Amino acid sequence: MLRIPCPYCGERTENEFSYGGEAHKVRPERPEEVSDAQWADYLFLQKNTKGTFYERWVHTYGCRRWFNVVRDTLTNEVHGSYKMGEEPPKVDEKTYV
């Protein structure tokens, strides 16, 4: 089972958390000016990275706060977590082919 370090509560098992998708995804500044296809891309398309990935999680059964996690999607190794608005930790980013 994946163990996720909540930056507010400490490390807990993954069943206390909910996945929130890709971190650092930039919302269009003027959504009313983008096409329906561009808006759909923003809402529904996410990277499918095999390697180091930055993702959002919420501690659903804990403090209920959102934060970011750096995780290797191939090995499920968690490299760290950080609060929203903070800089991500420095990690050796890997991408598998």
Side-chain angles (χ1 to χ4, degrees), residues 4-73:
I4 299 173
C6 173
Y8 303 98
C9 306
E11 189 174 277
R12 303 284 197 275
T13 56
E14 69 180 285
N15 56 0
E16 291 189 18
F17 299 89
S18 298
Y19 181 74
E22 181 181 337
H24 308 290
K25 192 170 183 179
V26 179
R27 185 177 197 263
E29 275 192 40
R30 298 178 185 265
E32 67 276 6
E33 294 178 4
V34 299
S35 69
D36 289 345
Q38 290 171 317
W39 186 246
D41 287 352
Y42 167 73
L43 291 176
F44 303 113
L45 295 182
Q46 296 196 17
K47 294 178 185 172
N48 189 16
T49 302
K50 188 177 181 182
T52 305
F53 192 62
Y54 296 82
E55 49 197 18
R56 294 181 299 165
W57 287 82
V58 62
H59 196 176
T60 308
Y61 297 107
C63 62
R64 298 185 180 186
R65 292 183 176 174
W66 285 91
F67 59 96
N68 296 316
V69 171
V70 185
R71 181 174 65 92
D72 188 311
T73 57

